Amino acid sequence: MTVRIGHTVKAVLFQVHSIAGLALALLVSLIALTGAIMSFEDEIVDQLNAGIMQVPPRQIPALMPDVLVARLKAEQDVGKVSAVTLSSDPAAAAHVRFARDENGGRPASLFVDPYDARVLGSPRGEAFFATVRRLHRWLLIPGDGKGWGRPITGTIALGLIVMLVSGLVLRWPRRGGSVKMWLKPNLGLSGRGLHRSLHAVIGTWVLPVYLAITLTGLYFSFEWYKDGVTWLLARPHAAAAKIQPKMSAKPTRTASSQPAPPIGFDQAWTTFQREEGDRFSKALLTLPAQGTTIRIRSWGKASLLETTRDEFRIDAVTGQMVSAERYADKTFGEKIIAAIYDIHRGAILGWPGKLAFMIAAVLMPLFSVTGILLYLSRRKLRRPAQPPLGRLVPGE
């Protein structure tokens, strides 16, 4: 009876694995390949733009950000500035980003000389990687993160988890402790046998990577998943603050009220420099969509990861520090939450981790192809054999 139940469970899992694989093969491969393309985006962009990211260091102080923006606008027909990246390195160019225009498009960013606001150029590869990122995250569906693309890619990630778990159960050999059974493909086979061996064994190799990618990717797809991870790993007061429903901040305006004057970076930048001194390597200053609180993300000089950063919120009018969230003060669980993006792309393990995750992502189409070939061969085997036409006689 136990054996029969086990066969029934495996038969159900086999059908679930096959249906999910056939339904998601193309989309999973597309998301994996776009993720592989972005694995070394930072290194590629830095290499492509090495000539415009550096300036000759000078003995004069760099321009304050508001003066930099004002001079840039005086010399160039540019849109509304949304963010500026400044560096403590006297040889690093400033990086200016712009808000979306009326059509929803975002103008190309510019590297600018921090001493005289001279435009050095737009970064090559920026538009390409922006398109790849939108394809990876939202399948280029209109609305980006606020449209249907986000839950669709999240559902695909859930489907991949179903395939991974069911595939592991179906893969479990009779000698579960045998490393050879788990990890060595039988390359002496051909046809259906070879396809099955490659599908199962290579799938075993990359299964931990795929689980890491999907479990962290869900964090960016579903609010309920993000809230659950925050509740599980963050301190109670931090989790409660992050799980609070987001209220729409619609400013009330009376008939006599006037639009708020535009705010600048200088007050917040002065407060940040006074607070941090020369401990940072670069800082990203972002203007708020509403209100007067500027967000400043800064990275230390020894920081090697995107997520090992400090975050400050400073009032742009008064220069008062609203909040300071330092990476060093986070608990272990909060550091995991902060590093989810770097875990997702393997950067938490340095460039070897990024390379391993990229190779695993590139291999995803292999499972799609071998899975489809196995499905077609099963259908062929199940098809009843037809007698040769030459042997048919009247009445048969």
Side-chain angles (χ1 to χ4, degrees):
M1 179 65 70
T2 303
V3 174
R4 184 177 301 175
I5 292 175
H7 282 304
T8 302
V9 171
K10 283 202 168 186
V12 172
L13 286 178
F14 183 78
Q15 292 299 323
V16 170
H17 186 83
S18 299
I19 293 172
L22 289 172
L24 302 178
L26 179 60
L27 291 176
V28 167
S29 297
L30 177 64
I31 293 173
L33 289 177
T34 50
I37 292 172
M38 294 190 298
S39 294
F40 288 93
E41 175 185 354
D42 295 338
E43 291 81 357
I44 294 172
V45 170
D46 289 350
Q47 187 64 34
L48 288 174
N49 299 285
I52 63 173
M53 296 176 65
Q54 299 291 317
V55 298
R58 298 164 219 179
Q59 298 302 319
I60 61 174
L63 298 174
M64 290 293 285
D66 286 347
V67 177
L68 181 78
V69 171
R71 289 194 185 181
L72 174 63
K73 288 185 174 182
E75 297 178 5
Q76 297 277 334
D77 183 17
V78 296
K80 179 183 178 183
V81 172
S82 64
V84 177
T85 300
L86 302 173
S87 175
S88 62
D89 182 358
H95 191 193
V96 181
R97 296 179 175 87
F98 302 95
R100 295 188 182 275
D101 55 30
E102 296 177 354
N103 299 321
R106 190 183 297 277
S109 65
L110 294 173
F111 281 105
V112 179
D113 190 316
Y115 299 100
D116 57 16
R118 178 173 57 90
V119 175
L120 304 174
S122 294
R124 289 185 292 176
E126 182 181 60
F128 169 77
F129 281 110
T131 302
V132 172
R133 190 175 301 108
R134 289 179 61 234
L135 181 59
H136 178 77
R137 293 178 176 177
W138 309 305
L139 302 175
L140 296 180
I141 295 175
D144 292 345
K146 297 180 180 179
W148 284 101
R150 187 176 177 219
I152 288 175
T153 54
T155 302
I156 293 170
L158 290 174
L160 180 57
I161 291 177
V162 170
M163 286 191 287
L164 293 173
V165 174
S166 59
L168 178 64
V169 175
L170 294 169
R171 167 79 175 97
W172 202 279
R174 293 180 180 177
R175 290 180 292 157
S178 172
V179 176
K180 180 179 177 180
M181 293 288 291
W182 279 107
L183 302 178
K184 184 179 179 181
N186 190 346
L187 300 179
L189 300 174
S190 61
R192 177 180 171 80
L194 179 62
H195 298 157
R196 184 191 293 120
S197 180
L198 291 175
H199 191 87
V201 175
I202 298 180
T204 303
W205 292 349
V206 298
L207 185 141
V209 175
Y210 287 167
L211 279 176
I213 290 174
T214 50
L215 290 174
T216 52
L218 287 171
Y219 183 85
F220 304 103
S221 294
F222 297 115
E223 288 298 325
W224 58 264
Y225 187 90
K226 182 177 182 179
D227 292 343
V229 172
T230 303
W231 173 83
L232 182 66
L233 296 178
R235 286 170 292 188
H237 68 275
K242 292 184 179 181
I243 296 178
Q244 288 297 323
K246 298 175 182 175
M247 304 297 291
S248 58
K250 295 183 179 180
T252 58
R253 297 177 61 182
T254 63
S256 61
S257 65
Q258 298 294 327
I263 61 175
F265 295 101
D266 282 2
Q267 288 279 15
W269 179 238
T270 300
T271 300
F272 171 78
Q273 286 184 306
R274 185 173 62 247
E275 180 77 18
E276 285 295 278
D278 61 351
R279 292 191 296 269
F280 73 99
S281 62
K282 66 175 181 178
L284 171 62
L285 291 72
T286 304
L287 290 174
Q290 295 177 342
T292 61
T293 303
I294 287 181
R295 183 185 68 187
I296 300 181
R297 289 177 173 175
S298 69
W299 290 262
K301 293 183 176 178
S303 176
L304 299 177
L305 295 175
E306 167 67 22
T307 49
T308 55
R309 62 174 182 250
D310 299 331
E311 185 166 315
F312 304 89
R313 296 184 183 273
I314 305 173
D315 190 283
V317 177
T318 64
Q320 182 179 357
M321 181 74 70
V322 177
S323 66
E325 186 177 317
R326 299 183 182 276
Y327 181 81
D329 296 335
K330 295 179 182 293
T331 64
F332 177 73
E334 290 166 345
K335 287 181 178 179
I336 292 178
I337 294 176
I340 277 183
Y341 176 65
D342 284 325
I343 297 172
H344 181 71
R345 63 195 186 117
I348 196 74
L349 302 175
W351 72 262
K354 292 168 71 172
L355 180 62
F357 276 48
M358 183 187 74
I359 293 173
V362 169
L363 287 174
M364 180 62 77
L366 171 68
F367 301 105
S368 299
V369 172
T370 54
I372 291 173
L373 290 175
L374 288 170
Y375 171 78
L376 294 176
S377 63
R378 283 197 305 273
R379 286 184 59 87
K380 185 176 180 180
L381 290 173
R382 291 174 181 175
R383 190 177 303 156
Q386 298 294 329
L389 293 176
R391 298 184 183 180
L392 291 176
V393 297
E396 287 186 335

